Amino acid sequence: MLSRREFIARGTGTAFTFAAAAGSTGLLAGCAKNSSTHPPTVASFHDLAGSRSLRAHARRHGLIYGSAVVIPVVKENADFASLLSEQCGILVPSNELKWVALRPSREAFNFGPPDFLYDFSQRNHMLMRGHTLCWHQSVPAWIKTIDSKDEIRQIFVDHITTVCKHYAGKMQSWDVVNEAIEPDDKLPGGLRKSFWYENLGPDYIDLAFHTARAADPSVKLTYNDYGIEGDSDNDAEKRRLILEMVKGMKNRGVPIDAIGVQSHLNAGEEYGQGVADYIEAIHQLGLEVYLTELDVNDDSTATDDVPQRDAVVAKTYTDFLTAALPNPAVKLVLTWDLSDKYTWLNSLGSHRKKRPNRDQRPLPFDADLKPTDCFYALRDSFNRHKLV
Ligand code: XIL
C-alpha cells in the first residue's frame, strides 16, 4: 500500500483507490473525492466536522482555511455558528471593522460587534484577521465634511493607531490598505483617486503601514486587492502596478508582510498562469500571500440546472487553486462567507446579481448548510497541492 505522502504526491486517483489507501484510519475520509462528480449526501453538516473539515484538511497541508462572517448571523443562527467553528481556522468580519461601521461619529468606536467575534474565535480556537483600516468605499459622511487636510490626516493616523492598539497581539493580520490601485483613474503608479488619496496625497499608503506597525509590532500587515486573478491583459496590468507599488514600499523601508489576493472569481473564466506568476513574484519579494475573499460568481452561467452550475463553479475553484496553492508563499485561504445563505453575491440591485429569481451558489455550504461541490473542490485542492 502507498504511504499517505506517496499517495497524495501521485495525485488524487479515483475514489475507489483512495478509499482503499485511506484504509480504516478514517483520517482522510473523502480526501480524494473527484470534485467533478456530485457530492455524496450527508445527513447533516456535522458529518463533515473534525478530521473531515476544511479546517483540518487545510492544516494538514500547511494552510489555514477560514471565512468572512456577517457578525449578527453568528448570534442569530446557532447552527451556522457551529458550522463556522467546525470548518474554520480563521475568521474575518465582512464589514464591522470598516470605517463606516466602526466610526459612526468622530468620537465613537463601535468595537462591540468585532469584539464579540474575537471572543467567539478565541472560544473556538480560531485566528482572526482585520479588514480593513483604509478602503475608498468605506468613508463615513462626517469625515467628508472636514475641510482641513491636516485634520483628516490626524484623524486617519489616530484611527489606525486606536484600532490596531485595541487588537494588538490579537489579530493574525490586518488588511491595512484595501483596493488602492485603479488604472482607469490615470494617476501616477495607477493609484486610485480615492478620498484618502485626494486628502492625504500618494504617501497615505506608506503612512497607514507605518502607523499600523507602530501600534501593533507583531501583526502581519497586508495590502489587499482584486482584479488580479485572471489571465486577461487588464488583470496583468493591475498585477504589475501592485508589484511596482510594493517594491517601492520595500525600498523605502515601509513595513509590509503580505499581499492579499481577494479571489472573487467568475464561473467559467480562465485562471492559471497569471495568478501563479503573481504569487511567485510576491514570494520572491519575501512576502506571504493570502487568498482573502474567495467565491465564484455564476450569475452569467446560462443553464439553470443546479448540478451543472455547481460543477462549473467547482471547476473554477479547482483551476484557480491548482494555480495558486503549490506556491509556499500561500498561507491563508478564506472564502467570502461560508454559506450561500449569507453571500454578498445574492444582494439584489448590484451588478453582481441580475437574476431576481435565481440565487447564486458560490460557497462551500448552500443556504441549507449542506455541502456543495465547492466544499469538495476546496478540500481536494488542499489535499493535492501542499504538504506540511
Ligand atoms: C463587501 C461586503 O461583503 C458587503 O456586505 C458590503 O455591502 C460591501 O462590501 N471586496 C472587499 C470587501 O474587500 O470588503 C467587500 O465586502 C467585497 C469586495
Side-chain angles (χ1 to χ4, degrees):
M1 186 186 281
L2 298 177
S3 73
R4 172 175 165 261
R5 191 168 283 262
E6 285 165 342
F7 181 79
I8 293 166
R10 287 185 188 195
T12 54
T14 64
F16 176 78
T17 313
F18 174 76
S24 57
T25 66
L27 180 69
L28 294 169
C31 266
K33 199 186 159 296
N34 180 347
S35 55
S36 65
T37 58
H38 202 62
T41 308
V42 293
S44 95
F45 62 79
H46 295 303
D47 293 349
L48 296 166
S51 63
R52 293 180 158 92
S53 65
L54 293 170
R55 174 182 183 154
H57 281 247
R59 191 178 55 232
R60 269 186 229 119
H61 294 270
L63 292 161
I64 299 170
Y65 168 75
S67 171
V69 177
V70 177
I71 295 179
V73 161
V74 183
K75 296 186 185 174
E76 287 157 17
N77 186 338
D79 279 347
F80 183 69
S82 125
L83 179 68
L84 282 174
S85 66
E86 289 172 1
Q87 296 296 330
C88 295
I90 187 165
L91 297 179
V92 59
S94 307
N95 290 312
E96 288 82 354
L97 286 169
K98 295 169 179 167
W99 276 72
V100 167
L102 196 57
R103 302 298 303 279
S105 69
R106 183 168 178 167
E107 295 73 34
F109 286 81
N110 187 17
F111 282 122
D115 284 358
F116 163 82
L117 192 69
Y118 179 72
D119 291 344
F120 176 81
S121 69
Q122 287 296 290
R123 281 200 305 280
N124 292 290
H125 314 288
M126 299 157 158
L127 300 172
M128 182 158 147
R129 65 187 312 268
H131 174 84
T132 166
L133 297 168
C134 176
W135 187 34
H136 67 285
Q137 276 194 35
S138 194
V139 181
W142 57 262
I143 203 173
K144 294 182 190 161
T145 65
I146 298 173
D147 292 331
S148 156
K149 289 188 172 19
D150 285 346
E151 220 176 311
I152 293 174
R153 193 178 190 85
Q154 195 56 52
I155 292 169
F156 183 74
V157 168
D158 289 348
H159 175 90
I160 295 175
T161 304
T162 304
V163 177
C164 286
K165 281 201 167 152
H166 186 86
Y167 292 109
K170 294 180 167 177
M171 294 285 186
Q172 179 273 336
S173 54
W174 263 110
D175 286 335
V176 179
V177 177
N178 193 37
E179 305 181 354
I181 298 288
E182 175 48 77
D184 288 350
D185 287 350
K186 309 272 181 243
L187 290 173
L191 290 182
R192 184 187 292 277
K193 198 163 181 285
S194 66
F195 173 84
W196 304 115
Y197 176 91
E198 291 191 298
N199 284 283
L200 308 181
D203 80 325
Y204 82 92
I205 298 172
D206 290 9
L207 178 65
F209 278 84
H210 280 300
T211 307
R213 173 58 77 238
D216 186 352
S218 64
V219 69
K220 300 275 189 187
L221 302 181
T222 309
Y223 175 77
N224 192 48
D225 215 330
Y226 72 102
I228 44 181
E229 296 82 1
D231 289 344
S232 70
D233 290 349
N234 280 348
D235 287 25
E237 174 60 2
K238 197 156 172 182
R239 289 193 285 269
R240 190 187 68 74
L241 289 165
I242 293 172
L243 289 169
E244 279 310 300
M245 178 184 79
V246 171
K247 278 181 204 158
M249 289 168 72
K250 288 202 61 122
N251 290 339
R252 293 189 296 278
V254 178
I256 176 167
D257 304 296
I259 299 196
V261 178
Q262 287 191 6
S263 314
H264 293 293
L265 310 179
N266 294 307
E269 208 172 304
E270 300 276 311
Y271 298 99
Q273 203 55 49
V275 77
D277 291 349
Y278 183 57
I279 291 173
E280 180 52 23
I282 299 168
H283 186 208
Q284 294 297 322
L285 291 174
L287 303 180
E288 297 189 338
V289 174
Y290 306 150
L291 310 183
T292 49
E293 308 185 12
L294 182 57
D295 59 15
V296 176
N297 185 326
D298 89 325
D299 208 39
S300 58
T301 305
T303 178
D304 285 335
D305 180 73
V306 167
Q308 279 185 42
R309 283 176 51 207
D310 282 3
V312 175
V313 170
K315 183 176 182 308
T316 310
Y317 267 86
T318 301
D319 290 351
F320 180 73
L321 293 171
T322 298
L325 291 189
N327 197 302
V330 179
K331 306 292 184 196
L332 306 180
V333 178
L334 291 98
T335 47
W336 202 242
D337 219 297
L338 186 60
S339 156
D340 296 337
K341 187 167 183 161
Y342 304 117
T343 175
W344 71 310
L345 294 175
N346 281 334
S347 322
L348 264 179
S350 112
H351 63 279
R352 296 180 184 85
K353 179 177 162 73
K354 300 194 186 101
R355 299 171 186 265
N357 302 317
R358 190 177 100 179
D359 278 349
Q360 304 209 47
R361 297 168 55 84
L363 291 167
F365 289 85
D366 71 12
D368 299 321
L369 310 188
K370 291 271 196 274
T372 62
D373 285 3
C374 302
F375 173 91
Y376 295 97
L378 259 172
R379 208 172 63 167
D380 289 350
S381 299
F382 294 152
N383 293 333
R384 260 197 304 274
H385 295 296
K386 279 185 114 174
L387 290 171
V388 181

